DNA sequence: CTCTAGCGATACAG
DNA sequence: CCTCGTCGCTAGAG
């Protein structure tokens, strides 16, 4: 789900670009996003259960394209199995299964293009595909990290540790995690949209400027706007959240202000302050793998209290 | 007017 | 046995 509306809201920080702009640098890449796109290219084979490695070739093309432009890629794959999403998952599985059945039916009737559309909706990235990709990366001596939970947290941790200078992803969660350079929508030729956490010019006076927010303030804004860990207060979206944090400085003070606001006070749920604190901890102290220490660590240090 | 929330169409590579 | 959606549009509320 990510952060609702965040991608649109930070549009002023985005521009058209190309991977050659980060020649000489190291970049961490969201391997799952690549596999997901790659799977569309061989939806027929995957849906029929026919062994194929086309999706791996697609991903390796991206790896080699980056190398060609002097960029060193590190691939992050996540081994996550998140609790609390079982219902959504089973609904998705049911939908995928019905699309697969419909696709096979259309194929029997000779409607090849109709079948492909359905079969594309039935495919998903399996652990088996991720393992095959991982094995290929190892044999090609490309660095690959399996994150304990969320790839987003792992990638941002590696940037903060200085192991990489940018991230290639499709996920807006990179913004609250404080990554300063994010390459979105990269295609096979290296063209992409580049997000940079830099002050906006005078022409963007009314746009959201994330460079005006401290690391904690960015996270507070995203929790207020609604994230995986906490639904937003009804009527609060990304713009309102940005305004509140800019005005009051942090999440706690923003909630205090809402509690006093005549129109908003009855919309703030009981115990929202506690839920907010829990969400912030989940955000900041996720488990990630530290390559140097070779062990699991918290993304940011848990304070002793 | 701005902003949120929900919905339907759409999605790969070459 | 099996891992994450997103974009544009718009109604409707503030």
């Amino acid at each position: 789900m990510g952060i609702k509306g965040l991608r649109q809201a930070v549009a002023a920080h985005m521009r058209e670009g190309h991977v050659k702009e980060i020649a000489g640098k190291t970049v961490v890449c969201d391997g799952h996003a690549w596999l997901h796109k790659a799977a569309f290219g061989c939806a027929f084979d995957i849906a029929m259960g026919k062994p194929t490695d086309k999706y791996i070739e697609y991903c390796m093309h991206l790896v080699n394209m980056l190398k060609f432009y002097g960029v060193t890629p590190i691939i992050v794959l996540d081994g996550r199995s998140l609790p609390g999403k079982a219902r959504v998952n089973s609904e998705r599985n049911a939908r995928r299964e019905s699309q697969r059945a419909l696709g096979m039916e259309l194929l029997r009737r000779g409607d090849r293009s109709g079948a492909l559309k359905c079969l594309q909706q039935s495919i998903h990235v399996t652990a088996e595909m991720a393992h095959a990709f991982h094995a290929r990366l190892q044999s090609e001596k490309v660095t690959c990290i399996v994150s304990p939970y969320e790839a987003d947290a792992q990638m941002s941790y590696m940037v903060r540790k200085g192991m990489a200078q940018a991230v290639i992803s499709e996920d807006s969660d990179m913004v609250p995690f404080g990554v300063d350079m994010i390459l979105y929508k990269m295609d096979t030729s290296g063209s992409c949209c580049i997000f940079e956490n830099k002050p906006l010019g005078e022409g963007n006076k009314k746009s959201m400027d994330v460079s005006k927010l401290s690391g904690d303030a960015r996270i507070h804004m995203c929790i207020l706007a609604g994230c995986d860990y906490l639904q937003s207060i009804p009527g609060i979206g990304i713009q309102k959240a940005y305004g509140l944090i800019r005005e009051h400085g942090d999440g706690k003070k923003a909630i205090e202000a809402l509690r006093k606001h005549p129109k908003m006070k009855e919309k703030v749920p009981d115990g929202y302050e506690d839920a907010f604190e829990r969400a912030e901890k989940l955000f900041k102290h996720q488990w990630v793998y530290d390559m140097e220490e070779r062990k699991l660590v918290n993304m940011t240090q848990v304070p002793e209290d």
Side-chain angles (χ1 to χ4, degrees), chain A residues 228-239:
Chain A
D228 287 352
Y229 308 123
L230 182 61
Q231 276 201 321
S232 71
I233 298 165
I236 304 282
I238 191 68
Q239 300 292 345

Side-chain angles (χ1 to χ4, degrees), chain A residues 164-183:
Chain A
Q165 293 76 47
V167 165
I168 297 175
S169 173
E170 300 301 328
D171 202 324
S172 63
D173 283 351
M174 287 301 119
V175 174
F177 281 138
V179 177
D180 287 335
M181 191 171 200
I182 311 163
L183 279 56

Side-chain angles (χ1 to χ4, degrees), chain A residues 291-305:
Chain A
M291 287 176 73
E292 288 168 355
E293 299 186 39
R294 293 173 173 276
K295 65 175 188 182
L296 295 190
V297 298
N298 293 109
M299 182 174 67
T300 58
Q301 198 68 31
V302 178
E304 66 263 25
D305 61 350

Side-chain angles (χ1 to χ4, degrees), chain A residues 192-257:
Chain A
C192 54
C193 277
I194 299 183
F195 166 95
E196 282 189 278
N197 180 18
K198 293 197 302 197
L200 298 177
E202 279 303 304
N204 297 97
K205 201 65 182 168
K206 58 184 165 67
S207 302
M208 174 188 299
D209 187 341
V210 292
S211 75
K212 287 193 162 83
L213 301 175
S214 72
D216 277 355
R218 270 198 304 270
I219 291 172
H220 292 182
M221 172 183 77
C222 289
I223 297 172
L224 279 179
C227 63
D228 287 352
Y229 308 123
L230 182 61
Q231 276 201 321
S232 71
I233 298 165
I236 304 282
I238 191 68
Q239 300 292 345
K240 292 267 171 59
Y242 176 69
L244 284 164
I245 295 298
R246 287 284 289 156
E247 185 176 353
H248 300 100
D250 64 48
K252 189 169 183 176
K253 288 176 187 156
I255 299 167
E256 276 176 26

Side-chain angles (χ1 to χ4, degrees), chain A residues 106-121:
Chain A
L106 290 174
L107 196 58
R108 266 196 297 277
R109 294 189 204 163
D111 181 359
R112 202 176 164 78
S113 71
L116 181 59
K117 274 203 169 81
C118 293
L119 293 179
Q120 281 178 334
Q121 293 179 40

